[in-house]
Amino acid sequence: MASTHRLLSLQLRTLGLEAGSLPATFGQWRQFLDQVNLAYEQADRQRSLMEQTQQVSLRKMQVLYERLEEAQRIARLGNWSFTLSSGRLRCSEECFHALSLPQGCTPGYRTLLKRVQRKDRRPLKTAIHNALLLGLDFDIAIRLYLAEGETRWIRIAGQPARNANGLVIRLHGTVEDVTQRKAVELRQSMEYAVTRLLAESRSIEETMPKVLETICQTAGWACGALWTLNRQKEAFERSAVWLSKHSGLDNFFQHSKHTINLPACAGLIGRTLLLSEPVWIADVTLDPHFPRADAARQTGLHAAFAFPVQAGGEILGVMEFFRRRVQNPDSEVLESAHIMGRQIGQFFERKQAENALRESEAHFRSLVEQASDSFYVHDLDGNILDVNQHGCDSLGYSREELLVRRVTDIDVDLSLDELQYLHEQVKSRKPVALESRHMRKDGTTFPVEIRMGPINIDGQQHTLSLVRDISQRKEMEEHIQHLAYHDALTGLPNRAMFNHHLHHATTQAQRHNKRMAVLFIDLDRFKNVNDSLGHDAGDRLLQEMSARISACMQAEDIVGLGADRHFVARLGGDEFVVLIEEVADSGRIGQIAQKILSAMVREHSLDGQPVHITASIGISLFPDDGRNGFTLMKHADMAMYRAKQSGKNTFQFYSSQMDSHSSKLLAMEAALRRAIEGGELALHYQPKVDAGTGAITGMEALVRWKHPDLGLVSPAHFIPLAEETGLIVPLSKWVLTEACSQNRAWQQQGLPALRIAVNLSPRQFTDENLAAETARVLKDAGMDPALLELEITESMMMYDTERTVQVLSELRSMGIRIAIDDFGIGYSSLSHLKQFQVDIIKIDRSFIKDIPHDQADAAIAHAIIAMGKSLKAMVVAEGVETAAQLSFLRERGCDEIQGYYFGRPLPAEDFARLLKQNSEVAVPQPV
């Protein structure tokens, strides 16, 4: 009972009652027990309430825990704790997933450390060591090797927990899978690094090894190589390699091919080329299509990856990479490869374009420096920015001296305003070409031709001037101009220039009411000199007479007679003319004519033989005898004939009452008509021979007049009369008919069929029935048209160029060959020759007689021969009289020769004998 009492006492004390205070009466006990029951009931209610509260808390904690696990799973964030005393590691479910551990296992520290990549183990050890010993927090990213050959990046954060004494008793923290984020960061870092390398690059050769190194080190590849396309060899060649130091991977590339011929479809490179996209091989040692599997196996390489370098749809190269372990394809790396492949391809394309541009610039600079023209680059203000070596040499300056000068400093005729105007023309893309003069450093000038065009330098538009020294061309033009308007033999103005000057002078005289005089001079019996001493002597005599006329007109006594303004010209043959302007007294003109006659009659030595030559002068006055040049010349010519009729060596003024002159013309006309009808005309034939073989290839028919009283009359005397009177038409018909008939007769005699040349007169050339009449003559004679050559002069062609083209076309369509006679003395044939279709060009004797000693004549003859060749025309040289001339012409490619060296014009019987002899002699001897 005592023990019960004690228990009761304990309970009472629990209720706050002492044993000494227990109730004494029943009522008090009853009241006391009610209090006790009430206390127990309250205690039971509190206990029940606590139990309910605890159950609610447990349910809430369970919900919160589940939500935490779900949040960790979504965030890929796990939690962990490590207790030092027990060495136990507790991990959440997501932590197991991040570490790629099976659920329920409890790995040790060393087990986990083995799964960490070697490079990351030391940083992890250091972080944990500092947390345990120093109480430092840590946050580190490491890489784990997974069983499937993948690499996973995890981020481990940890904090130490301390006891009351401040000692670290536990580590706890989080684990996060950051593989995707790291892959993006790695890709962006790699792409940025490659982009920067390409942007700062100077060459493909310098940059691509660095690109290989960047990709390998950033993405963890052991080695890499670049294969580039060689279009000439139609193959891909390994052009760059990178491998980590002391890796021992040299043998892999040394034992691999350096060239892959196209087309290629096997292996890593072949498949990349075939698919035109990145290719990944998890383990090349197990790939039966990888030809370098043995080399990879020996060097410990497994995973391989390659991507094409593309630009504009063309594969310019392939980059390949290798890793020492097996690894499945990485989508981030593949995506990055697409971007880098295009980026590097654009870099290749840009660099190749830059290299091509540099090569082009170097080639252009080389061409510019070696060019025979000068190149200048200058700005709007004319400052010279660049110049080639020829420009320096042509001006005598150094490059440095020219680069501090302006264009206007070297261009004599160009002002700055004109230069700026030309610059604006160039900017508007209008063609700019001009002629100017440049000044050398020594002060001398020379003519230039300038062509300007735009050129961009560093984004600024400047002007490129191509400058050509045209000194030789100008000299040639002046020479041709001189030839066109001057007589090649005497150097005097020719008929064309005189007519031009006469027209101008008559216009001025009419305007200012002045008088003029025309003196028509013709040498007497000049043909005798040619026939007796030869044409060479005759030419020297003409030169002497022209010099005497010019000197006479410049003498003080002549000038004192009012002839200070005069003009002397040679019309052709032995005819000269003098124009005296501003005649005050017509009586003084007679004195001037007499002084000319006196000067010309003085003795002159030709080949050691004294010669006295006289002249006949006819004079017409403006405006008395004509108000235009044609009439003045015609009347002066009529007066000259009267002077000849009066005994020669005299002068005559034109008079409308010149009956004697008219009678002479009528008598000569009648005699010539009788000659045509009465058989007084005859043809002589001069041979044309092949310059190379000496064989006679043809002949020229030359008309002669056997006058009963005058003897053999020169064509120079009766042909002009025939032209004037119209008798040239029947005369020409007779010549053509006789020449064709004779040629046919020779063929019937067994002589070779040769071409025969017949001269056409100007009157005959303008005959509308020329082609039809010629066809009739050929048909009647029975001669092949191909054996007929018709010779026309340059002046005849120039009279009406449109009709000339038509007539020549009609004749050539019949098979007749067309020859230009006396080529080189016409004044405009050089500019029109290309319009006409000619077969033969005959060089005038005036260009032949002084070759090869006269360089100017030699150059002209050579030029005419070259021009004939370019026009595919046969070239014949007239007036060949020496072996030196023959040698010169033969060496220059002249086709045929005609002249006294081979034979004079011969009658038909003598020419037939010459043809027979020619067949027996290889090269004809000079006659």
Side-chain angles (χ1 to χ4, degrees):
M1 187 64 185
S3 61
T4 304
H5 178 73
R6 287 193 300 273
L7 178 59
L8 179 58
S9 296
L10 179 61
Q11 291 176 343
L12 289 174
R13 283 195 299 272
T14 304
L15 295 173
L17 299 174
E18 294 294 336
S21 61
L22 293 175
T25 64
F26 178 79
Q28 290 176 335
W29 272 103
R30 185 179 182 89
Q31 184 178 3
F32 172 73
L33 290 175
D34 289 339
Q35 291 178 353
V36 170
N37 289 332
L38 180 61
Y40 271 109
E41 289 176 1
Q42 290 178 350
D44 289 339
R45 286 196 298 270
Q46 290 178 357
R47 183 174 59 253
S48 176
L49 181 61
M50 289 180 61
E51 289 177 354
Q52 291 177 2
T53 301
Q54 187 175 12
Q55 290 177 359
V56 171
S57 298
L58 288 174
R59 286 197 298 271
K60 288 183 178 180
M61 289 296 294
Q62 182 66 30
V63 171
L64 290 175
Y65 182 75
E66 291 175 355
R67 290 181 177 176
L68 177 62
E69 286 187 338
E70 183 180 0
Q72 289 181 347
R73 187 166 53 255
I74 294 174
R76 308 186 106 180
L77 182 69
N79 66 297
W80 59 272
S81 66
F82 178 71
T83 304
L84 270 67
S85 59
S86 64
R88 185 178 178 184
L89 176 66
R90 295 179 57 198
C91 297
S92 68
E93 181 180 349
E94 187 60 29
C95 188
F96 279 101
H97 178 74
L99 296 174
S100 190
L101 297 173
Q103 293 287 341
C105 73
T106 305
Y109 171 71
R110 294 184 180 279
T111 302
L112 287 175
L113 197 62
K114 289 181 180 180
R115 306 190 66 179
V116 177
Q117 286 195 10
R118 292 183 180 274
K119 292 183 180 180
D120 297 338
R121 290 176 185 176
R122 182 174 295 277
L124 179 61
K125 288 180 180 180
T126 301
I128 295 175
H129 182 270
N130 291 338
L132 293 173
L133 297 183
L134 303 178
L136 300 179
D137 296 349
F138 63 89
D139 191 338
I140 187 172
I142 61 173
R143 287 166 291 181
L144 296 180
Y145 287 130
L146 303 184
E148 297 81 5
E150 298 181 358
T151 298
R152 177 174 295 173
W153 280 91
I154 62 171
R155 176 187 175 192
I156 302 178
Q159 291 181 339
R162 304 173 184 270
N163 60 12
N165 298 325
L167 297 178
V168 176
I169 59 174
R170 184 168 56 90
L171 295 179
H172 61 93
T174 59
V175 173
E176 181 182 4
D177 185 349
V178 293
T179 302
Q180 187 172 1
R181 185 195 314 161
K182 276 291 184 180
V184 173
E185 292 176 356
L186 183 67
R187 169 184 166 183
Q188 292 176 344
S189 173
M190 181 168 59
E191 291 176 3
Y192 173 77
V194 170
T195 301
R196 184 171 181 178
L197 284 172
L198 299 181
E200 298 174 351
S201 166
R202 289 181 295 182
S203 68
I204 295 176
E205 294 74 13
E206 175 186 340
T207 303
M208 292 314 297
K210 296 179 182 179
V211 172
L212 289 170
E213 179 182 2
T214 298
I215 296 176
C216 288
Q217 291 190 338
T218 306
W221 298 95
C223 59
L226 169 68
W227 297 77
T228 53
L229 175 63
N230 187 324
R231 289 187 174 87
Q232 294 181 345
K233 295 182 179 180
E234 295 186 353
F236 275 82
E237 298 176 337
R238 190 168 62 227
S239 57
V241 172
W242 183 88
L243 45 87
S244 56
K245 295 181 180 179
H246 312 296
S247 61
L249 296 175
D250 305 67
N251 292 333
F252 175 71
F253 293 106
Q254 290 176 0
H255 292 86
S256 301
K257 291 183 178 180
H258 294 268
T259 302
I260 299 177
N261 296 322
L262 296 177
C265 57
L268 183 62
I269 305 300
R271 274 184 273 178
T272 304
L273 295 174
L274 182 64
L275 300 175
S276 297
E277 62 182 22
V279 173
W280 189 296
I281 302 177
D283 190 350
V284 295
T285 62
L286 302 179
D287 191 327
H289 302 293
F290 186 72
R292 294 175 283 172
D294 291 340
R297 190 178 298 109
Q298 293 174 5
T299 51
L301 295 177
H302 291 277
F305 162 63
F307 63 87
V309 175
Q310 301 184 78
E314 181 184 15
I315 298 179
L316 304 177
V318 176
M319 300 187 74
E320 63 174 357
F321 302 91
F322 296 89
R323 182 169 284 165
R324 288 189 177 277
R325 60 186 178 82
V326 176
Q327 183 175 350
N328 292 326
D330 188 324
S331 60
E332 288 294 332
V333 174
L334 291 173
E335 180 63 26
S336 183
H338 280 289
I339 297 174
M340 290 190 297
R342 291 191 295 268
Q343 200 172 26
I344 298 172
Q346 294 173 358
F347 165 75
F348 271 36
E349 194 173 42
R350 185 176 71 253
K351 286 299 178 182
Q352 289 173 356
E354 291 175 359
N355 292 338
L357 179 60
R358 280 193 293 269
E359 292 177 2
S360 177
E361 288 175 348
H363 181 63
F364 176 74
R365 170 58 67 178
S366 175
L367 291 177
V368 167
E369 291 300 331
Q370 298 177 20
S372 58
D373 295 326
S374 301
F375 289 81
Y376 299 90
V377 178
H378 50 88
D379 59 17
L380 179 61
D381 296 324
N383 298 306
I384 298 176
L385 306 177
D386 198 4
V387 60
N388 68 341
Q389 188 59 43
H390 187 272
C392 299
D393 296 340
S394 65
L395 296 173
Y397 289 103
S398 66
R399 178 181 175 83
E400 292 72 19
E401 290 174 324
L402 279 177
L403 293 182
V404 296
R405 282 172 167 76
R406 290 185 174 185
V407 173
T408 51
D409 294 334
I410 62 174
D411 197 304
V412 178
D413 302 327
L414 195 63
S415 67
L416 182 58
D417 291 339
E418 292 172 330
L419 180 63
Q420 291 177 345
Y421 169 77
L422 293 174
H423 186 83
E424 292 300 320
Q425 296 293 103
V426 169
K427 286 176 62 178
S428 62
R429 300 290 178 177
K430 294 181 179 178
V432 175
L434 67 153
E435 291 186 2
S436 187
R437 290 179 300 148
H438 277 189
M439 180 183 293
R440 299 185 181 91
K441 187 176 182 179
D442 60 8
T444 58
T445 62
F446 59 98
V448 294
E449 179 185 69
I450 305 174
R451 296 184 180 274
M452 294 182 176
I455 184 172
N456 288 319
I457 301 178
D458 297 331
Q460 297 291 324
Q461 188 177 72
H462 301 297
T463 300
L464 172 64
S465 292
L466 169 62
V467 179
R468 176 170 296 176
D469 185 344
I470 57 174
S471 298
Q472 292 184 352
R473 193 183 80 187
K474 282 294 183 182
E475 292 174 1
M476 182 59 70
E477 288 177 355
E478 291 174 0
H479 183 63
I480 293 175
Q481 185 77 359
H482 184 83
L483 290 176
Y485 288 100
H486 289 79
D487 177 54
L489 179 63
T490 63
L492 290 176
N494 60 11
R495 181 186 295 272
M497 188 172 184
F498 178 79
N499 289 338
H500 176 77
H501 188 83
L502 179 60
H503 174 75
H504 177 74
T506 54
T507 302
Q508 293 297 315
Q510 288 178 357
R511 181 178 302 169
H512 301 290
N513 196 24
K514 295 181 179 180
R515 293 170 61 82
M516 298 190 312
V518 174
L519 285 68
F520 197 112
I521 307 171
D522 186 90
L523 303 184
D524 299 327
R525 291 179 292 274
F526 175 73
K527 184 177 182 300
N528 295 338
V529 176
N530 270 341
D531 292 343
S532 58
L533 300 179
H535 288 286
D536 184 61
D539 289 344
R540 293 200 304 274
L541 180 61
L542 290 173
Q543 291 172 337
E544 175 64 21
M545 293 301 105
S546 67
R548 291 185 182 185
I549 295 173
S550 299
C552 184
M553 294 304 299
Q554 293 172 1
E556 293 183 2
D557 55 347
I558 296 293
V559 174
L561 294 174
D564 53 326
R565 295 189 60 184
H566 63 272
F567 193 87
V568 180
R570 181 192 177 201
L571 299 181
D574 57 356
E575 296 176 342
F576 299 86
V577 64
V578 176
L579 172 64
I580 301 176
E581 304 179 47
E582 300 185 7
V583 174
D585 184 0
S586 59
R588 294 184 177 181
I589 301 302
Q591 299 177 40
I592 294 173
Q594 187 58 55
K595 289 184 176 294
I596 294 175
L597 293 174
S598 300
M600 298 183 74
V601 78
R602 294 196 306 267
E603 181 179 302
H604 178 66
S605 177
L606 283 177
D607 298 335
Q609 181 175 344
V611 175
H612 293 83
I613 195 75
T614 62
S616 299
I617 302 177
I619 305 171
S620 63
L621 300 174
F622 175 90
D624 305 1
D625 303 327
R627 302 188 65 86
N628 56 65
F630 176 78
T631 304
L632 288 172
M633 287 295 292
K634 177 182 177 182
H635 289 165
D637 185 37
M638 293 174 64
M640 182 270 297
Y641 274 111
R642 182 177 180 182
K644 284 187 177 292
Q645 187 180 16
S646 301
K648 303 180 178 62
N649 193 26
T650 186
F651 64 90
Q652 289 288 336
F653 283 90
Y654 170 76
S655 171
S656 59
Q657 304 299 323
M658 287 183 174
D659 296 334
S660 58
H661 179 67
S662 300
S663 299
K664 178 181 179 181
L665 288 178
L666 291 174
M668 180 67 74
E669 179 183 355
L672 183 57
R673 192 179 301 276
R674 288 194 301 271
I676 298 174
E677 298 173 355
E680 296 178 10
L681 298 179
L683 290 183
H684 286 194
Y685 302 90
Q686 187 174 28
K688 293 192 296 182
V689 303
D690 187 288
T693 64
I696 294 178
T697 58
M699 54 278 182
E700 181 178 0
L702 302 171
V703 65
R704 298 291 186 265
W705 183 7
K706 298 178 181 179
H707 195 280
D709 302 323
L710 301 178
L712 196 62
V713 180
S714 171
H717 290 90
F718 66 86
I719 292 298
L721 176 61
E723 287 278 2
E724 182 180 352
T725 59
L727 289 174
I728 192 67
V729 176
L731 174 62
S732 300
K733 290 181 180 179
W734 179 87
V735 172
L736 180 62
T737 302
E738 181 66 19
C740 293
S741 299
Q742 182 61 67
N743 193 20
R744 178 60 179 164
W746 282 332
Q747 296 175 40
Q748 292 174 345
Q749 295 172 16
L751 294 176
L754 300 178
R755 300 189 308 273
I756 187 165
V758 177
N759 289 278
L760 288 181
S761 68
R763 186 76 171 268
Q764 187 180 12
F765 190 67
T766 59
D767 188 355
E768 296 292 340
N769 299 319
L770 174 61
E773 183 64 23
T774 304
R776 185 193 62 78
V777 170
L778 288 170
K779 182 178 179 180
D780 292 345
M783 191 181 84
D784 185 356
L787 298 178
L788 176 62
E789 294 177 7
L790 295 180
E791 296 187 4
I792 58 177
T793 63
E794 294 177 275
S795 59
M796 292 163 57
M797 293 192 304
M798 297 305 114
Y799 180 74
D800 185 349
T801 56
E802 292 184 3
R803 187 179 182 283
T804 298
V805 173
Q806 178 184 354
V807 172
L808 295 184
S809 178
E810 291 177 358
L811 294 173
R812 295 184 80 250
S813 66
M814 296 164 56
I816 299 171
R817 296 163 64 89
I818 304 299
I820 301 179
D821 197 15
D822 302 331
F823 183 79
I825 62 174
Y827 60 88
S828 61
S829 60
L830 292 178
S831 62
H832 293 83
L833 183 61
K834 62 182 180 181
Q835 301 181 29
F836 310 125
Q837 295 181 349
V838 297
D839 304 289
I840 302 167
I841 294 177
K842 300 187 73 174
I843 307 175
D844 187 70
R845 66 174 58 254
S846 61
F847 300 124
I848 303 299
K849 67 183 186 62
D850 291 330
I851 62 172
H853 309 294
D854 190 304
Q855 295 184 355
D857 285 344
I860 293 172
H862 187 192
I864 294 174
I865 294 172
M867 181 181 64
K869 296 296 183 182
S870 65
L871 295 174
K872 298 182 180 180
M874 180 180 292
V875 181
V876 180
E878 296 182 300
V880 178
E881 299 182 0
T882 66
Q885 293 171 346
L886 171 63
S887 177
F888 175 88
L889 294 167
R890 180 182 290 164
E891 291 174 359
R892 298 315 185 270
C894 184
D895 298 300
E896 293 184 353
I897 306 296
Q898 183 178 349
Y900 284 2
Y901 183 75
F902 298 100
R904 297 173 179 271
L906 300 174
E909 298 79 6
D910 297 339
F911 189 79
R913 286 192 292 271
L914 179 64
L915 285 179
K916 295 178 180 179
Q917 295 173 3
N918 182 255
S919 61
E920 302 173 358
V921 181
V923 178
Q925 300 301 316
V927 178

